[in-house]
Amino acid sequence: MSRSKESDELVFFVNGKKVIERNADPEVNLLFYLRKVIRLTGTKYGCGGGGCGACTVMVSRYDPISKKISHFSVAACLVPVCSLYGAAVTTVEGIGSTKTRIHPVQERIAKGHGTQCGFCTPGMVMSIYALLRNHPEPSTEQLTETLGGNLCRCTGYRPIVESMKSFSPSSSCCQMNGNGKCCLDEEKNEPEKKTSIYTKLYEKEEFQPLDPTQELIFPPELMRMAEDPQKRALTFCGERTTWIAPGTLKDLLDLKMKYPSAPLMMGNTSLGLDMKFKEVSYPIIISPARVLELHIVTNTKEGLTLGAGLSLTQVKDILADVVSRLPKERTQMYRALLKHLKTLAGQQIKNMASLGGHIISRLPTSDLNPILGVGNCILNVASTEGAQQIPLDDRFLAGLPDASLKPDQVLISVFMPLSGKWEFVSAFRQAPRQQNALATVNAGMRVVFNEDTGTIVDFSILYGGVGATTVSANKSCRRLIGRCWDEGMLNEACRLVLEEVSLPASAPGGMVDYRRTLTISFLFKFYLEVLKQLKMKDPRGYPDISKKLLHVLEDFPLTMPQGMQSFKGVDPQQPLQDPVGRPIMHQSGIKHATGEAVFCDDMSALAEELFLAVVTSNRPHARIISLDASEALASPGVVDVITAQDVPGDNGREEESLYAQDEVICVGQIVCTVAADTYAHAKQATKKVKIVYEDVEPMIVTVQDALQYESFIGPEKKLERGNVHSAFQCVDQVLEGEVHFGGQEHFYMETQSVRVVPKAEDKAMDIYVSSQDAAFAQEMVACTLGIPKNRINCHVKRVGGAFGGKASKPGLLAAVAAVAAQKTGCPIRFILERGDDMLITGGRHPLLGKYKIGFMNDGKIKAADVQFYINGGCTPDDSELVIEYSLLKLENAYKIPNLRVRGRVCKTNLPSNTAFRGFGFPQGAFVTETWVSAVAAKCHLPPEKVRELNMYKTIDRTIHKQEFDPENLIKCWETCMENSSYYSRKRAVEEFNAQSFWKKRGIAIIPMKFSVGFPRTFYNQAAALVQIYTDGSVLVAHGGAELGQGVNTKMIQVASRELKIPMSYIHLDEMNTVTVPNTIATGGSTGADVNGRAVQNACQILRKRLEPIISQNSNGTWEEWVNEAFTQSISLSATGYFRGYQADMDWEKGEGDIFPYFVFGAACSEVEIDCLTGAHKNIRTDIVMDGSFSINPALDIGQIEGAFVQGLGLYTLEELKYSPEGVLYTRGPSQYKIPSVTDIPEEFHVSLLTPTQNPKAIYSSKGLGEAGLFLGSSVFFAIADAVAAARKERGLAPLWAMNSPATAELIRMACEDQFTDLVPHMDSKCCKPWSIPVA
């Protein structure tokens, strides 16, 4: 950190240890300080914007007035280190470790199988820990709110929630009963117990109790510091910014007079984002957090006055207390505020963000400002010239100069009046996700009536999300004064509001028709809410409201999931020491929970280590005219700028350059990199690289563009069986259509990470990379540097999530870093920021599916002609394999006797799309389920009947003529039907829909036939090295990468069984290309299958060598046998090998036995939608999966749940948005929404089918890593069912196809009604839209 003579000492504590920082830099955040300065790496970088929770820590402060200590979770990435004066910080390392004792939170999340890749786990642990410090026995509501700010991409949240609910006294979850019976279904489990079906994945009784007396004490020194009456100002001077923290209000006002343009920083949740993502810097920052007047609360009979420095969490607690004590009619505005405070951000952000900052920032999507604005709130401001009151009204929120604070004024407090008797206030918001998401549109509405006449005397409406500021409907409201609260007023209000609140077709954020529809949908909700309350006040004066309408007034609750996970237990005769088939905890689970698990960027810095930052193209297709790096090279800390000219060997591979040379072919292509002494210096210097481009035509962004210009990668692929042409002549009906399928971002929690360490001799290098394919990274580095592979050792310890996104991309990035390392001669650390990662690396392929289906009136499908076009991006990557898999797997569970499918990869000017969990199957099978559903609708038949009718029934051949037995497919379907009580629940859904107009429920059951493996035999090979040491300990190495799926844990289980020794004897460190060469990418659901075979082979070789010794001393110990073998010069090291499954495909003939086996499954999901907003709630999901004999049921069920929730995101939430020029807008968790804890089903049940033999895989197991993802489509088709019910009731034509994802926008606009009809449709041809679909 920079040195300055003017700086004060920054004093705070971390994990009970005093920290004195004499060179505190205001631009350094706590996350950087923890990780890079004091080397506490348990706290992780996930997004840098407070949106993912990976960097959660606890901050504690002492209040000298109340004499109380407060503990609260924060996002360390947004906490300026200078703000921590007098605070105590607790990180995951501070609450427990394997070296001392682990904390109950750490123990329970690990033993409860709540960790997979483990990258998000420290943040989860710290969020719960902070909650427990305040509430040792938290309610489920508190747990829900606490976890809302933490994202997990692996687990599906259910095991995290279940393990944490064990702290709640109200917990009634089936996994927590102790008797292994499901509390939801006691009777059903009785017969299952007799057939060894288990529902306990861990023993709750083994958990150590929570003992609050064992926590770290708050440092007494910090109490004395807080009590110090001399509140002198503190100054911290950094490289570019000076931080001043006044101690008194007078000092604050003097400073604001002296530096009127200096911002005030409290929680840093707004300014911090500008500084981080917009690269805004301030010479002076004033931090008023120590000024007591900003934290005062005054409660009078007129209302509340809240200090502007109070956090949103404190505001919520204060309002909740007042609401509990006062009559409902007096607290209308307070209740509206509380409603939004529950969902507007994650707990960490609410703990940091201040009330004053929220108001003053005047963000267009602010959730509180519209409510405060209609509520006649007053801002109490002050300056050196005195105090002033400013109305918090529409003029202030619009940013009008005469209604705003002057530059030298400071907001001290906010007055919030109580409501009057005939005053009604409501708040509304609709966001892409229920919790922790900025609103798409929000509103605050207030109306006051004349008590005698019942007419409107005051009316105000403010909207967020429909303009650059909060927007008022003042003119409309004024014209409604004097009107009665009736339908005539409502109709007039809707018309007036639409005229006054408008959005151009090119408005930032897009979704113009939807956002305008929400404005009047909210108005209708407000009309019903007020009418309901008026009816209660005067039952005779107002008309009755139909119960069918009132359903819509109930917001979907924030609920915690619960459910049952069932699996067959091991044979009672199996030795206790044999771990195969048992729910063993993840090998690194405890280390994940304590923060001791080391990821790539956690490794200690080396001497002279440099940091790499990228310069990427901002043009989709252009020639590079010139590149000037002179200014960047002259920047502080910069060592070098690396371009294509510096590459000594191959600059990438065919059609995919490491560094752009002469031409760029997408926005986000790497043009050059900057190496500097810190990442901040490297990042700052990238802005000084000057590149001149000349645009090149054509610019191809969408599939339609590619079709127009015939821009493709590879030839067309085709499969056909039967006589499609003839079959179409013999059917009753023909259906033609198309469906669009959006892409998906991997959003692995650990971004792409590489460390390159050049060695002193022979041009050798060590590459530490977060990758699924270490051998490919080795190959790319070797080719790029022009040296043999044997000089390159690639190490993969563990990967913080991958999902296919770390198969090919890390190899390219490793090569980029290796060039920098060779040129500079220094170690290179290359960690992509979240925004760069999302921009550069691509994701799941968007798809356009066209189909023509011939079928009989009974629903039997006789013919199908299907075409797929996927958006491959600018280079081939894995796109040709993806289109092949889409074709091979599209039939899913259905026997279509006459089927033709063709597919092409479209070459566009987007970043290259790549492998993603499911690899083409989630797209192709979705199209199939779409037209199967459409056939059912056309025939007026239940979808499940048409699915059953067309399903494979007996041993048969797939479209690629591979024989398989569908017996377990049928079993999964029937078991899922039974477990889900499908037909009785379907009747209940129909009854609900008959009684509710604005909310509808839907239910769907989807079958699945998923093929495992790769299309070439050599892709399925694997090797392992097992070594026994003379003390009896065993070291295992294999070619698989630990991605969170638990492959290392399973390998230890395999070795334990084969060697007949306890798991505790076996250690598995890292995989690297020296120990196990020529490895294959870990993916295709085969990681445990093939590497397990290799480990098994090695262990069997060793056991066979030991057999003569064992037979001579059968009563000896393992250690004695091993030592005797060593004495006899018997090798205790063995290489194991598996040649791979036979896999052949002849595309000319359209046939081949490609896949070793199939995984079957079925899922039933039920949802409820809000037809007015498009919001939906996932009520229940039942999954049945054919896992054969699971090696580890806990890991396999975790994979199923995690994949399902990722699929749920794919089909309903996650939406990538591109500009017409191919610029990706959605580059972080604030814009791109993966599922959070409240998005998963309220009831979430997973059952492993009673095992049957699978001779192809080790121990008759099956690979379940990918299969569950497609079952997330059951939620999509349940939504489609609910939409169909709404459309039917409204007399609308059926929708034969709905595009994916089924976002709130799509749902709302599909449920057409009088409000959608009022909104004039925007013609996108009249002006350029903000975003476009790319498939």
Side-chain angles (χ1 to χ4, degrees):
M1 302 180 79
S2 59
R3 177 78 181 169
S4 173
K5 294 178 182 178
E6 299 175 23
S7 287
D8 289 302
E9 286 185 346
L10 175 65
V11 180
F12 62 105
F13 278 68
V14 176
N15 297 334
K17 295 180 180 178
K18 186 176 181 179
V19 176
I20 301 175
E21 177 56 62
R22 295 178 174 85
N23 307 301
D25 189 333
E27 292 187 284
V28 168
N29 60 49
L30 175 58
L31 177 62
F32 177 91
Y33 195 85
L34 291 172
R35 291 182 59 79
K36 304 301 182 184
V37 179
I38 57 178
R39 295 295 307 151
L40 292 174
T41 57
T43 308
K44 306 301 183 193
Y45 166 85
C47 69
C52 72
C55 65
T56 303
V57 299
M58 186 180 80
V59 172
S60 305
R61 289 190 182 276
Y62 176 72
D63 182 352
I65 297 174
S66 66
K67 309 293 184 186
K68 291 182 179 178
I69 300 163
S70 60
H71 308 285
F72 48 94
S73 59
V74 299
C77 66
L78 289 180
V79 176
V81 71
C82 293
S83 70
L84 293 170
Y85 185 86
V89 176
T90 305
T91 72
V92 70
E93 295 94 339
I95 70 169
S97 78
T98 57
K99 299 178 184 69
T100 53
R101 57 180 284 275
I102 60 171
H103 192 275
V105 177
Q106 296 167 324
E107 178 195 38
R108 295 186 194 193
I109 200 169
K111 291 184 177 177
H113 311 292
T115 170
Q116 287 185 19
C117 86
F119 200 81
C120 74
T121 308
M124 294 279 182
V125 165
M126 292 312 298
S127 285
I128 296 296
Y129 177 78
L131 173 67
L132 295 176
R133 288 301 299 267
N134 294 305
H135 306 281
E137 293 188 341
S139 66
T140 53
E141 184 180 352
Q142 288 169 328
L143 284 167
T144 306
E145 195 167 350
T146 294
L147 289 174
N150 291 78
L151 298 180
C152 174
R153 195 56 155 165
C154 293
T155 65
Y157 298 102
R158 196 275 317 158
I160 298 171
V161 169
E162 299 287 17
S163 53
M164 293 303 101
K165 277 203 291 194
S166 63
F167 291 108
S168 174
S170 60
S171 173
S172 58
C173 166
C174 55
Q175 297 295 55
M176 299 298 177
N177 283 352
N179 63 2
K181 296 179 185 177
C182 175
C183 57
L184 302 172
D185 203 352
E186 291 280 355
E187 290 182 12
K188 196 182 88 173
N189 270 339
E190 286 301 326
E192 290 183 340
K193 289 282 284 184
K194 295 173 187 174
T195 56
S196 303
I197 298 298
Y198 289 83
T199 58
K200 285 177 70 176
L201 291 169
Y202 55 92
E203 296 291 340
K204 179 191 174 186
E205 295 77 16
E206 293 179 3
F207 291 161
Q208 59 176 314
L210 177 68
D211 184 357
T213 65
Q214 297 301 302
E215 309 297 359
L216 285 171
I217 65 166
F218 188 81
E221 181 179 345
L222 295 184
M223 292 185 184
R224 293 192 294 271
M225 287 168 58
E227 299 277 8
D228 184 1
Q230 294 183 358
K231 294 279 187 177
R232 66 181 184 85
L234 300 170
T235 303
F236 305 108
C237 301
E239 195 171 285
R240 302 189 301 175
T241 300
T242 297
W243 175 286
I244 308 175
T248 66
L249 180 58
K250 181 182 183 304
D251 288 347
L252 171 61
L253 299 180
D254 288 343
L255 281 168
K256 201 69 176 92
M257 172 63 77
K258 185 177 180 180
Y259 304 110
S261 61
L264 300 188
M265 183 180 286
M266 283 292 293
N268 199 39
T269 56
S270 180
L271 285 176
L273 296 177
D274 288 345
M275 293 168 69
K276 169 76 177 175
F277 298 114
K278 298 180 182 177
E279 288 161 23
V280 177
S281 65
Y282 301 97
I284 303 288
I285 292 174
I286 301 172
S287 171
R290 296 162 66 230
V291 176
L292 294 180
E293 287 85 347
L294 300 186
H295 302 272
I296 292 173
V297 179
T298 308
N299 195 345
T300 67
K301 62 181 180 180
E302 286 79 27
L304 278 172
T305 301
L306 301 182
L310 294 169
S311 72
L312 296 186
T313 296
Q314 291 172 314
V315 170
K316 177 175 170 287
D317 293 342
I318 293 162
L319 291 176
D321 177 62
V322 172
V323 161
S324 70
R325 292 186 285 103
L326 292 180
K328 185 176 180 180
E329 65 178 22
R330 299 285 285 149
T331 57
Q332 292 264 328
M333 180 176 64
Y334 299 172
R335 290 173 185 273
L337 289 167
L338 280 172
K339 177 182 169 183
H340 280 187
L341 282 166
K342 285 183 179 179
T343 58
L344 63 79
Q347 187 64 52
Q348 301 90 328
I349 301 301
K350 286 187 281 194
N351 290 339
M352 298 165 66
S354 67
L355 174 63
H358 186 92
I359 292 168
I360 294 296
S361 62
R362 290 186 282 213
L363 296 174
T365 53
S366 162
D367 283 311
L368 303 186
N369 282 352
I371 308 168
L372 297 169
V374 299
N376 292 328
C377 294
I378 300 293
L379 303 178
N380 298 310
V381 305
S383 68
T384 54
E385 296 180 0
Q388 183 186 348
Q389 291 190 326
I390 297 175
L392 200 173
D393 56 15
D394 57 318
R395 301 180 72 253
F396 168 82
L397 293 174
L400 299 180
D402 62 334
S404 300
L405 278 72
K406 295 171 185 172
D408 65 337
Q409 288 182 322
V410 174
L411 175 60
I412 306 299
S413 62
V414 184
F415 172 67
M416 302 178 184
L418 290 165
S419 309
K421 185 177 179 183
W422 288 88
E423 178 181 352
F424 303 93
V425 181
S426 290
F428 307 94
R429 77 188 301 266
Q430 178 56 39
R433 189 172 63 201
Q434 190 180 17
Q435 194 175 17
N436 191 19
L438 292 173
T440 305
V441 177
N442 56 32
M445 301 185 185
R446 173 179 169 272
V447 65
V448 183
F449 295 97
N450 182 302
E451 186 171 355
D452 298 323
T453 64
T455 56
I456 299 169
V457 295
D458 192 14
F459 197 4
S460 49
I461 300 174
L462 286 170
Y463 289 110
V466 290
T469 63
T470 301
V471 174
S472 167
N474 248 346
K475 295 176 185 175
S476 305
C477 291
R478 283 199 298 269
R479 291 182 62 176
L480 297 169
I481 302 296
R483 296 286 296 268
C484 292
W485 198 255
D486 55 26
E487 286 195 21
M489 182 281 306
L490 172 66
N491 295 333
E492 179 72 0
C494 290
R495 184 184 64 79
L496 291 170
V497 165
L498 283 175
E499 288 177 3
E500 185 175 359
V501 180
S502 61
L503 273 173
S506 59
M511 303 183 288
V512 170
D513 291 348
Y514 173 55
R515 286 152 75 189
R516 299 197 73 206
T517 300
L518 283 177
T519 61
I520 54 175
S521 296
F522 288 161
L523 186 53
F524 175 61
K525 283 199 171 194
F526 184 55
Y527 167 77
L528 287 179
E529 277 192 10
V530 173
L531 191 61
K532 180 184 176 184
Q533 293 182 69
L534 289 172
K535 178 75 177 170
M536 292 169 65
K537 285 178 177 287
D538 184 3
R540 295 183 179 180
Y542 294 92
D544 290 329
I545 310 171
S546 167
K547 287 184 179 179
K548 288 187 70 169
L549 300 181
L550 287 179
H551 274 291
V552 80
L553 297 182
E554 301 164 12
D555 287 325
F556 293 131
L558 293 175
T559 54
M560 296 209 87
Q562 60 180 6
M564 178 181 71
Q565 296 71 48
S566 61
F567 60 97
K568 189 176 189 304
V570 299
D571 189 312
Q573 304 303 313
Q574 180 172 317
L576 287 174
Q577 183 176 288
D578 182 353
V580 171
R582 303 186 195 276
I584 305 292
M585 178 181 68
H586 193 291
Q587 171 226 14
S588 295
I590 296 292
K591 289 182 285 186
H592 291 159
T594 61
E596 293 168 274
V598 177
F599 292 85
C600 188
D601 192 35
D602 298 338
M603 300 177 76
S604 297
L606 299 172
E608 299 184 337
E609 183 172 281
L610 300 179
F611 295 79
L612 210 60
V614 291
V615 177
T616 57
S617 163
N618 58 14
R619 304 291 181 88
H621 195 190
R623 274 186 288 275
I624 300 173
I625 304 302
S626 65
L627 188 156
D628 180 4
S630 57
E631 193 179 341
L633 284 166
S635 299
V638 172
V639 172
D640 214 334
V641 173
I642 299 92
T643 68
Q645 280 67 42
D646 298 310
V647 179
D650 298 336
N651 184 25
R653 53 182 180 168
E654 184 185 354
E655 295 188 49
E656 187 157 19
S657 301
L658 300 180
Y659 290 95
Q661 192 167 10
D662 303 327
E663 182 183 54
V664 293
I665 52 176
C666 71
V667 174
Q669 185 176 1
I670 296 174
V671 179
C672 64
T673 57
V674 177
D677 60 346
T678 68
Y679 182 74
H681 282 151
K683 184 75 172 175
Q684 288 162 18
T686 61
K687 306 305 171 188
K688 299 175 182 178
V689 176
K690 296 180 175 63
I691 304 172
V692 177
Y693 297 102
E694 180 181 271
D695 289 332
V696 174
E697 294 295 333
M699 177 185 70
I700 300 171
V701 174
T702 68
V703 165
Q704 287 76 11
D705 294 340
L707 294 176
Q708 178 186 342
Y709 290 101
E710 297 186 349
S711 176
F712 300 110
I713 295 170
E716 179 183 77
K717 292 291 182 181
K718 178 182 175 182
L719 287 173
E720 186 169 1
R721 76 167 163 212
N723 190 325
V724 176
H725 177 75
S726 298
F728 273 115
Q729 313 305 313
C730 307
V731 295
D732 295 334
Q733 297 186 60
V734 173
L735 168 72
E736 293 191 61
E738 66 178 43
V739 64
H740 300 260
F741 187 101
Q744 186 180 24
E745 161 62 29
H746 298 92
F747 212 94
Y748 26 69
M749 294 304 294
E750 177 200 31
T751 60
Q752 298 278 356
S753 304
V754 182
R755 286 180 72 245
V756 178
V757 182
K759 293 186 176 181
E761 299 178 66
D762 304 321
K763 298 183 180 179
M765 282 190 178
D766 277 318
I767 313 291
Y768 300 89
V769 59
S770 178
S771 173
Q772 296 171 248
D773 194 345
F776 178 68
Q778 177 193 37
E779 178 181 347
M780 287 303 303
V781 171
C783 292
T784 302
L785 300 183
I787 60 178
K789 287 186 187 180
N790 62 10
R791 312 293 171 84
I792 308 297
N793 187 7
C794 276
H795 307 254
V796 180
K797 176 74 173 178
R798 57 173 57 85
V799 178
F803 318 113
K806 292 180 180 175
S808 63
K809 301 301 182 184
L812 301 173
L813 297 172
V816 166
V819 174
Q822 189 186 67
K823 186 181 181 187
T824 62
C826 297
I828 293 289
R829 190 178 293 253
F830 186 23
I831 314 295
L832 286 186
E833 290 188 274
R834 177 65 61 184
D836 287 336
D837 190 304
M838 293 184 72
L839 178 68
I840 293 168
T841 59
R844 190 184 298 280
H845 293 74
L847 176 142
L848 167 62
K850 297 185 176 185
Y851 51 85
K852 178 182 176 183
I853 313 299
F855 54 97
M856 310 307 288
N857 290 333
D858 65 354
K860 187 70 174 175
I861 299 170
K862 296 291 188 180
D865 193 357
V866 184
Q867 283 184 293
F868 289 159
Y869 300 97
I870 62 171
N871 194 323
C874 59
T875 67
D877 201 274
D878 288 324
S879 294
E880 289 186 80
L881 265 181
V882 169
I883 198 67
E884 287 182 10
Y885 271 46
S886 296
L887 270 57
L888 290 165
K889 302 185 181 193
L890 103 149
E891 66 179 8
N892 192 22
Y894 308 111
K895 172 68 182 287
I896 311 300
N898 304 284
L899 173 60
R900 177 168 59 225
V901 56
R902 291 163 288 177
R904 301 243 30 195
V905 179
C906 295
K907 185 176 182 179
T908 63
N909 295 117
L910 292 181
S912 205
N913 286 311
T914 188
F916 203 135
R917 195 180 207 168
F919 208 79
F921 177 66
Q923 297 102 307
F926 169 80
V927 177
T928 298
E929 294 298 338
T930 294
W931 46 258
V932 170
S933 297
V935 167
K938 279 279 191 181
C939 296
H940 306 289
L941 292 169
E944 68 276 6
K945 294 299 183 187
V946 174
R947 289 190 164 94
E948 279 181 6
L949 181 66
N950 289 285
M951 223 179 279
Y952 279 102
K953 300 292 194 310
T954 58
I955 294 175
D956 211 322
R957 292 189 178 273
T958 66
I959 186 175
H960 53 87
K961 301 179 179 60
Q962 179 171 346
E963 186 175 276
F964 81 104
D965 185 348
E967 181 183 355
N968 281 359
L969 168 65
I970 302 302
K971 283 183 181 177
C972 285
W973 175 264
E974 292 173 348
T975 307
C976 190
M977 278 278 188
E978 181 183 347
N979 289 0
S980 65
S981 306
Y982 179 80
Y983 287 111
S984 63
R985 283 175 51 216
K986 186 174 181 179
R987 287 191 296 273
V989 164
E990 290 166 354
E991 290 170 12
F992 176 90
N993 289 342
Q995 297 166 14
S996 174
F997 185 81
W998 292 109
K999 282 191 175 178
K1000 296 293 180 188
R1001 287 187 178 175
I1003 190 168
I1005 183 167
I1006 302 293
M1008 180 196 68
K1009 170 175 70 70
F1010 180 80
S1011 42
V1012 167
F1014 293 106
R1016 303 283 186 274
T1017 299
F1018 73 88
Y1019 283 175
N1020 294 303
Q1021 66 182 298
L1025 176 64
V1026 177
Q1027 302 177 102
I1028 305 173
Y1029 294 88
T1030 53
D1031 64 351
S1033 64
V1034 176
L1035 181 65
V1036 175
H1038 62 90
E1042 177 56 69
L1043 315 171
Q1045 82 282 40
V1047 67
N1048 285 354
T1049 309
K1050 288 185 176 181
M1051 295 308 97
I1052 293 173
Q1053 289 177 270
V1054 170
S1056 173
R1057 166 176 278 191
E1058 296 297 335
L1059 294 175
K1060 298 181 174 60
I1061 59 174
M1063 289 178 65
S1064 59
Y1065 280 45
I1066 303 163
H1067 179 62
L1068 203 155
D1069 189 24
E1070 66 171 16
M1071 74 88 62
N1072 65 66
T1073 54
V1074 167
T1075 308
V1076 182
N1078 309 317
T1079 56
I1080 300 298
T1082 303
S1085 301
T1086 62
D1089 283 12
V1090 299
N1091 290 291
R1093 289 283 200 191
V1095 170
Q1096 181 186 41
N1097 178 233
C1099 291
Q1100 287 175 348
I1101 290 169
L1102 290 168
R1103 188 76 191 187
K1104 189 173 182 180
R1105 291 176 189 167
L1106 292 173
E1107 277 176 4
I1109 295 171
I1110 296 171
S1111 62
Q1112 291 172 9
N1113 180 18
S1114 59
N1115 294 323
T1117 65
W1118 169 256
E1119 290 84 353
E1120 289 170 349
W1121 297 334
V1122 167
N1123 272 285
E1124 180 60 27
F1126 179 74
T1127 303
Q1128 295 183 22
S1129 299
I1130 295 172
S1131 172
L1132 294 173
S1133 175
T1135 297
Y1137 186 65
F1138 177 60
R1139 292 197 63 204
Y1141 303 116
Q1142 190 65 34
D1144 300 299
M1145 179 65 195
D1146 186 333
W1147 280 95
E1148 290 295 319
K1149 295 180 180 178
E1151 62 183 55
D1153 283 349
I1154 314 174
F1155 306 112
Y1157 59 85
F1158 296 86
V1159 171
F1160 304 107
C1164 174
S1165 290
E1166 182 182 352
V1167 303
E1168 185 176 322
I1169 66 170
D1170 184 332
C1171 301
L1172 277 171
T1173 63
H1176 80 274
K1177 185 69 178 173
N1178 299 318
I1179 297 172
R1180 176 173 168 178
T1181 292
D1182 295 83
I1183 295 173
V1184 178
M1185 190 75 83
D1186 164 33
S1188 286
F1189 289 87
S1190 171
I1191 294 174
N1192 187 324
L1195 296 179
D1196 285 342
I1197 287 171
Q1199 286 292 289
I1200 294 165
E1201 291 174 333
F1204 172 83
V1205 171
Q1206 198 170 55
L1208 181 155
L1210 167 66
Y1211 294 110
T1212 68
L1213 278 177
E1214 301 177 37
E1215 191 172 23
L1216 292 167
K1217 296 196 173 181
Y1218 294 88
S1219 77
E1221 294 77 32
V1223 179
L1224 179 66
Y1225 289 130
T1226 44
R1227 297 191 210 172
S1230 60
Q1231 306 99 8
Y1232 185 79
K1233 298 300 175 187
I1234 70 170
S1236 71
V1237 68
T1238 54
D1239 294 305
I1240 71 173
E1242 291 179 44
E1243 287 186 48
F1244 194 6
H1245 308 298
V1246 177
S1247 242
L1248 295 182
L1249 194 68
T1250 302
T1252 54
Q1253 291 297 320
N1254 175 31
K1256 290 291 184 75
I1258 185 169
Y1259 306 144
S1260 256
S1261 61
K1262 285 192 175 183
L1264 302 178
E1266 298 173 281
L1269 190 138
F1270 171 67
L1271 295 179
S1273 69
S1274 62
V1275 177
F1276 177 96
F1277 289 103
I1279 289 171
D1281 185 50
V1283 168
R1287 290 181 66 85
K1288 183 177 180 180
E1289 186 169 24
R1290 289 154 176 75
L1292 300 168
L1295 287 175
W1296 305 123
M1298 270 174 51
N1299 295 331
S1300 177
T1303 60
E1305 176 190 15
L1306 186 145
I1307 295 168
R1308 176 62 187 100
M1309 301 314 287
C1311 296
E1312 299 170 44
D1313 52 39
Q1314 63 266 40
F1315 303 113
T1316 56
D1317 292 343
L1318 281 173
V1319 178
H1321 180 67
M1322 288 285 183
D1323 185 3
S1324 59
K1325 295 178 182 177
C1326 67
C1327 63
K1328 187 166 71 173
W1330 179 76
S1331 69
I1332 58 170
V1334 296

